[in-house]
Amino acid sequence: MTHKTEKALFLIGGLSDDDLHWVVHKAKVEKIPPGERLIYEGRPINALYFVLSGLLSVVIGTNEDRELAQITKGEVVGEISFIDSRPPLATVKALETTRVLAISRFELNSKIHSDSKFAARFYQGLSLCLASRMRGTIRRLGYEDLMEYEPEPDELSSQTQEFLALAQAKFNWLVQSFK
């Protein structure tokens, strides 16, 4: 595991094998060439994305001149707009050829409304993903003193390490399913 835990692991790690098989059957791989936009600031999106490979840039501003973050393999994209159904606040564009796994909003909402156990696992994972992202943002902005002590990855509990190892295996399986 790298120092920067892949956010998709929090989401995928809690899903059951049946859930993952559902994802494989419903999701589609999209290939985004360098310079192409995956998400446009202010325009609604109709999918949740998992980055399978490549590099994306999150930018804001009329000239897309302010980079907020770079997104690599194992990250989730579009999760905030999925939650609140509002248009994204930033543009996401490919810096290199990037492959994403797209799960349509319609398919995902249908599954969530028809399968309460899936919904619970999905939203728990999404919550962990967003919490991790928020902690990272606070750290990047220099507000570490507002945070309680956060252990280094090698100091995580054995239970958390086991969860992340299983989640990494599930993510690897998902990536292999689309090769």
Side-chain angles (χ1 to χ4, degrees), residues 6-80:
E6 298 167 334
K7 304 299 183 281
L9 296 184
F10 294 113
L11 188 50
I12 291 171
L15 297 180
S16 70
D17 290 347
D18 287 341
D19 297 338
L20 291 174
H21 286 288
W22 177 86
V23 169
V24 167
H25 286 40
K26 295 297 182 178
K28 293 178 177 42
V29 174
E30 295 180 12
K31 187 175 177 181
I32 301 103
E36 187 172 310
R37 274 81 180 143
L38 174 65
I39 295 173
Y40 289 86
E41 180 179 345
R43 291 189 197 169
I45 58 174
N46 295 314
L48 180 69
Y49 303 96
F50 293 94
V51 180
L52 300 177
S53 65
L55 181 64
L56 299 167
S57 177
V58 179
V59 294
I60 59 171
T62 53
N63 297 325
E64 298 178 358
D65 54 355
R66 184 164 177 221
E67 185 175 73
L68 299 179
Q70 290 189 352
I71 299 171
T72 61
K73 177 182 178 180
E75 293 291 321
V76 180
V77 182
E79 72 285 359
I80 294 171

Side-chain angles (χ1 to χ4, degrees), residues 82-98:
F82 177 79
I83 291 170
D84 68 8
S85 300
R86 292 169 40 190
L89 297 172
T91 294
V92 178
K93 63 183 179 179
L95 295 177
E96 62 187 44
T97 300
T98 301

